[in-house]
Amino acid sequence: MSDTSKTLLPEGLRDLLPPEAAVEAEVIHTLTQSFGANGYALVKPPLAEFEDTLLAGVGQVLRDRIFRMPDPVSHRSLGFRADVTTQVARIATTRLASQPRPLRLMYAGQVLRVRGDQLEPERQFTQAGIELIGAETGAADAEVILATTEALEAVGVKNLTVDLALPTLVPAILKGHGVDANDRLRTALAHKDVAELKAAGGAAGELLCALVAASGEFATARERIGKLNLPADAKAEWDALSAVGDAVRAAAPNLGLTVDAVESRGFEYHTGITFSIFAKGIQREIGRGGRYRLQHSEDRFEHATGATLVVDNLLSAVPAAKELKRLWVPSDTPRATVRKWQADGWTLVAGLKAGETAANEARRLDCTHYLERGEAVQVRN
Amino acid sequence: MSASPEPLVFAVPKGRILDEALPIIEAAGIVPEPDFGDEGSRKLKFATNLPHVSLIRVRAFDVATFVAFGAAHIGIAGNDVLMEFDYADIYAPLDLGIGKCRLSIAQETKAGDTLDLDRLSHVRIATKYPHITSKWFAERGIQAECVKLNGAMELAPSLGLSPRIVDLVSTGSTLRANGLKEVQTLVEISSRLIVNRTALKVRSAEIGGWIEKFRSAVGASQNAA
């Protein structure tokens, strides 16, 4: 086996080395602490489960995205999760079905998907998120948005923009105008291609174009869309979104807030307001979420709102950790001394052989200081 | 808004479309440095009358790639390019009404005037647009084997590379000159103003302002015509 055959990883998978791996761990810690302070309790579903439970309910949208393998033990098909939300949904409707509502759960973990795309080639990434289950109010939607943006701020991600959307709005409009959604219309909507929308939108074409044009900064969009002549169902949905936007705006006046009235991509299982989170300086979307329905049984469901952050996408915006105080100590240093320095906030790197030259070893192993006669001496380069 | 200190990169396609696009770009308030109109210039990035706005001149397909990755914030691209890539992160909020043509199937004149697909399970097509082509044929229950070419598609039938081609057609004179006949239009093409999704969200007022400026510029040029 040649050396390169040992280094090559499969497409979309990679090693995270120091210091990036530590930054990621720190980010997850801060996010879960911040979510926890808002009453969200950590759950940890497994990496793989039976394919049919993984794909049940809201999980159906993952059908084309999951890795599968036959389980040699049960002879059933296993699926690796491509999203943790659907697992939390399963937990909420089974083991925690009798817990009092609203139920606040959070998670952080790795997910796999069968393929990436040119813009996001990764096939494994880290998700961290929250689910607020059993509440139907706009206040729940606003809480999830705010808890998520506050967690991002705690991590040090700045200049956030939350883009609100309503995937149920366009279907309500199409229904109101008796227009069938076809592939061409869906593509036109996805690309906000106004020329195509006008051509493919039929009776709803003009209104859909007006919605695209009116999308943008929240206050302006609110005013413009408020003036449009929406079908009754669509109007009610829009008013609900406006109320959530107002609540978020009031609570976080400095947060960027926009509206994309025709967005629906990636929100396949959502039944109400949704949102995407962006930050200045990060090209990719860093998080998304929204309102969906949890199915308990054929005729029983409950409302939930969730948010998922793609931890990999926000690492580049996390401020560099402050310089570590890294102290090299000789091999004969008593453990009590080691612990004393550690208690003072130092990272200790112990020598393993007697007679090593402290200054050289410290420099070679990337330490900032070495221990000499009970003092920390700075390493000179 | 346009006084934003943050750089704004505008990607425009080289060649044919550029001549039609330039008056609209200028009417929207972006005046490029003189070198920009000079096709012989080796420069790739050009300054404008606005200190924070620069223009890049790249191949039509690359405009979409630069904008999709956010390396450029705004651009001009035909819907042929947008359909071929189907990038999720590009929005096309405005039809500029320029660069009009169509994406069509052509075959040798001696092969007849019509595209007869009834008995076919498989076709071989030379094209710059394998994605659009195979999708179009797949919708008709036919598997298209696309031979990807970057130019001179018209040579393919006479040299036996493929009996048919899918290419942009405006007047049809290149096809005629090569003994080919247009037998089926796949889609009408025009150039769109495209924007990067993230840029539109995080710089919403600024990018929204540019879309409005281009909208007025297009309206004015269409009224004048």
Side-chain angles (χ1 to χ4, degrees):
Chain A
M1 200 186 244
S2 75
D3 278 338
T4 47
S5 71
K6 283 185 193 163
T7 57
L8 181 67
L9 292 173
E11 195 174 306
L13 300 173
R14 60 189 179 132
D15 292 325
L16 217 52
L17 303 179
E20 285 79 16
V23 172
E24 191 193 81
E26 178 73 28
V27 164
I28 292 169
H29 176 73
T30 309
L31 289 175
T32 49
Q33 272 208 319
S34 179
F35 290 145
N38 280 311
Y40 290 84
L42 191 63
V43 289
K44 189 188 170 226
L47 202 52
E49 54 182 274
F50 292 122
E51 185 188 336
D52 45 5
T53 63
L54 193 63
L55 298 181
V58 293
Q60 354 181 337
V61 298
L62 303 174
R63 196 163 293 277
D64 300 333
R65 297 182 212 164
I66 61 164
F67 276 99
R68 296 168 167 87
M69 65 174 272
D71 177 10
V73 176
S74 64
H75 301 292
R76 291 171 65 184
S77 177
L78 295 189
F80 289 88
R81 65 185 179 199
D83 184 36
V84 188
T85 300
T86 62
Q87 294 185 300
V88 178
R90 172 180 58 75
I91 290 172
T93 53
T94 55
R95 292 184 221 304
L96 298 183
S98 57
Q99 286 278 307
R101 270 33 181 176
L103 180 62
R104 290 179 170 87
L105 299 176
M106 66 165 161
Y107 57 86
Q110 306 290 318
V111 299
L112 279 176
R113 58 176 180 183
V114 282
R115 68 176 66 83
D117 54 39
Q118 195 182 351
L119 289 178
E120 301 205 327
E122 290 81 7
R123 295 201 288 172
Q124 176 183 345
F125 40 93
T126 308
Q127 285 190 340
I130 53 176
E131 307 295 334
L132 175 45
I133 295 148
E136 201 186 348
T137 60
D141 298 328
E143 173 182 312
V144 169
I145 292 172
L146 292 165
T148 310
T149 54
E150 283 163 14
L152 284 167
E153 279 160 5
V155 166
V157 184
K158 294 200 178 64
N159 297 316
L160 296 168
T161 293
V162 173
D163 187 44
L164 302 174
L166 199 52
T168 51
L169 186 65
V170 168
I173 288 172
L174 294 181
K175 195 169 154 230
H177 285 84
V179 177
D180 284 333
N182 54 39
D183 261 1
R184 186 175 175 200
L185 183 56
R186 271 189 285 268
T187 309
L189 283 167
H191 292 156
K192 313 285 179 297
D193 189 328
V194 170
E196 280 284 297
L197 268 184
K198 212 169 267 176
E206 289 290 334
L207 182 53
L208 294 176
C209 291
L211 281 176
V212 173
S215 295
E217 200 277 316
F218 174 67
T220 322
R222 189 187 197 291
E223 195 192 321
R224 287 182 184 167
I225 296 175
K227 286 183 191 152
L228 296 175
N229 189 13
L230 300 173
D233 287 2
K235 178 89 175 91
E237 304 250 12
W238 169 253
D239 289 343
L241 179 141
S242 297
V244 173
D246 286 339
V248 172
R249 171 52 76 235
N254 295 323
L255 187 68
L257 195 59
T258 58
V259 172
D260 192 334
V262 304
E263 181 68 279
S264 66
R265 273 180 310 174
F267 294 119
E268 295 92 348
Y269 59 74
H270 292 84
T271 55
I273 185 171
T274 64
F275 53 90
S276 303
I277 305 174
F278 299 89
K280 219 171 228 185
I282 304 184
Q283 175 47 35
R284 296 173 172 192
E285 187 179 289
I286 54 180
R288 55 168 43 212
R291 170 68 66 87
Y292 59 96
R293 288 207 309 194
L294 283 180
Q295 200 80 33
H296 281 263
S297 59
E298 197 82 331
D299 52 358
R300 197 166 89 77
F301 63 85
E302 64 183 330
H303 293 277
T305 305
T308 300
L309 295 171
V310 183
V311 174
D312 310 58
N313 287 0
L314 47 97
L315 295 184
S316 65
V318 174
K322 50 185 182 297
E323 200 192 27
L324 285 172
K325 296 193 295 180
R326 215 170 131 89
L327 180 69
W328 187 89
V329 297
S331 61
D332 56 0
T333 310
R335 282 319 282 178
T337 311
V338 167
R339 281 198 298 274
K340 182 183 93 52
W341 284 95
Q342 287 169 333
D344 289 343
W346 289 80
T347 298
L348 261 67
V349 178
L352 298 173
K353 278 191 296 198
E356 288 169 322
T357 312
N360 291 350
E361 282 303 288
R363 191 180 305 112
R364 195 174 69 80
L365 295 173
D366 219 14
C367 293
T368 55
H369 296 75
Y370 55 89
L371 191 65
E372 201 172 65
R373 291 185 208 94
E375 299 284 326
V377 183
Q378 195 164 356
V379 172
R380 272 178 243 274
N381 285 311
Chain B
M1 300 300 155
S2 54
S4 157
E6 257 192 276
L8 185 84
V9 179
F10 191 157
V12 294
K14 287 179 180 179
R16 188 173 61 89
I17 311 285
L18 189 55
D19 299 334
E20 286 182 79
L22 206 47
I24 297 177
I25 296 173
E26 291 187 351
I30 301 175
V31 183
E33 62 176 305
D35 265 14
F36 184 70
D38 173 12
E39 286 277 342
S41 168
R42 293 293 185 95
K43 265 187 167 172
L44 296 170
K45 191 173 177 188
F46 301 87
T48 68
N49 59 322
L50 303 169
H52 70 288
V53 178
S54 52
L55 289 168
I56 57 171
R57 200 172 65 186
V58 296
R59 283 167 183 271
F61 276 64
D62 295 341
V63 168
T65 305
F66 274 93
V67 174
F69 282 85
H73 307 94
I74 316 186
I76 292 176
N79 50 322
D80 53 330
V81 175
L82 300 180
M83 287 168 73
E84 180 61 23
F85 282 133
D86 199 21
Y87 279 126
D89 277 22
I90 296 181
Y91 287 175
L94 182 64
D95 186 356
L96 297 172
I98 58 173
K100 285 191 178 170
C101 56
R102 54 199 181 271
L103 190 66
S104 294
I105 304 172
Q107 61 194 27
E108 285 193 284
T109 313
K110 63 186 181 205
D113 287 352
T114 54
L115 180 71
D116 186 6
L117 300 175
D118 288 351
R119 298 172 63 90
L120 296 178
S121 62
H122 167 270
V123 290
R124 180 190 266 211
I125 305 266
T127 184
K128 207 162 125 185
Y129 302 92
H131 178 73
I132 302 177
T133 303
S134 48
K135 195 167 163 227
W136 190 87
F137 278 98
E139 281 163 6
R140 284 150 187 84
I142 298 165
Q143 181 207 116
E145 175 198 335
C146 295
V147 180
K148 170 92 199 282
L149 291 179
N150 292 308
M153 254 71 65
E154 295 83 0
L155 287 172
S158 63
L159 298 181
L161 187 58
S162 70
R164 300 181 184 84
I165 67 170
V166 164
D167 199 11
L168 295 180
V169 181
S170 52
T171 63
S173 56
T174 317
L175 290 181
R176 276 191 297 279
N178 288 284
L180 300 180
K181 180 156 180 71
E182 184 182 2
V183 288
Q184 172 75 48
T185 302
L186 303 194
V187 60
E188 300 287 338
I189 307 295
S190 66
S191 292
R192 313 288 157 93
L193 185 75
I194 60 171
V195 297
N196 173 266
R197 174 165 178 249
T198 303
L200 182 63
K201 302 308 178 194
V202 300
R203 298 165 71 173
S204 117
E206 181 194 2
I207 305 277
W210 282 114
I211 296 170
E212 285 314 313
K213 280 181 197 153
F214 275 89
R215 198 187 305 282
S216 323
V218 171
S221 76
Q222 283 171 351
N223 287 338

